[in-house]
């Protein structure tokens, strides 16, 4: 099942690598990834899509919240997450 996660993290070098490393160390593939600054230039929002069971996603979120650079990590409810596939032309 696809899950869309939203993570607020400090806009510092290496922050994205630490989050990606968490997924890699747990054996999860990141299907899509988008990182953009927020209104606060010291904070970036990372939005990613991954696959996994509900319990395993909860575990990933708990581990992500323990990372030094992570301010907030939540799963977006399906109606809030808009999925599109540019390769399909939609």
């Amino acid at each position: 099942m696809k899950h869309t996660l939203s993570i607020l993290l400090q806009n510092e070098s290496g922050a994205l690598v630490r989050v990606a490393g968490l997924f890699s160390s747990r054996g999860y593939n990141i299907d899509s990834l988008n990182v953009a600054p927020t209104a606060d230039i010291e904070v970036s929002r990372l939005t990613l899509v991954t696959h996994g069971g509900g319990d395993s996603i909860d575990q990933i979120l708990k581990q992500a919240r323990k990372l030094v650079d992570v301010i907030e990590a939540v799963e977006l409810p399906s109606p809030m997450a808009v999925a599109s596939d540019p390769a399909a032309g939609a």
Side-chain angles (χ1 to χ4, degrees):
M1 179 176 185
K2 283 187 173 182
H3 298 273
T4 304
L5 309 181
S6 176
I7 299 173
L8 289 176
L9 67 161
Q10 296 294 326
N11 190 10
E12 297 178 359
S13 62
L16 177 59
V17 171
R18 287 185 275 282
V19 173
L22 170 68
F23 281 79
S24 175
S25 67
R26 302 281 182 235
Y28 284 91
N29 189 33
I30 297 174
D31 296 334
S32 71
L33 174 67
N34 183 19
V35 182
T38 63
D40 181 354
I41 61 170
E42 295 183 2
V43 177
S44 292
R45 178 177 302 279
L46 187 155
T47 305
L48 62 88
V49 177
T50 188
H51 284 83
D55 291 341
S56 58
I57 295 301
D58 288 343
Q59 190 64 32
I60 285 282
L61 287 170
K62 286 179 185 175
Q63 294 292 320
R65 291 178 187 125
K66 291 181 182 178
L67 294 174
V68 172
D69 302 312
V70 172
I71 299 167
E72 180 182 43
V74 297
E75 179 177 3
L76 297 178
S78 294
M80 287 184 65
V82 177
S84 67
D85 185 358

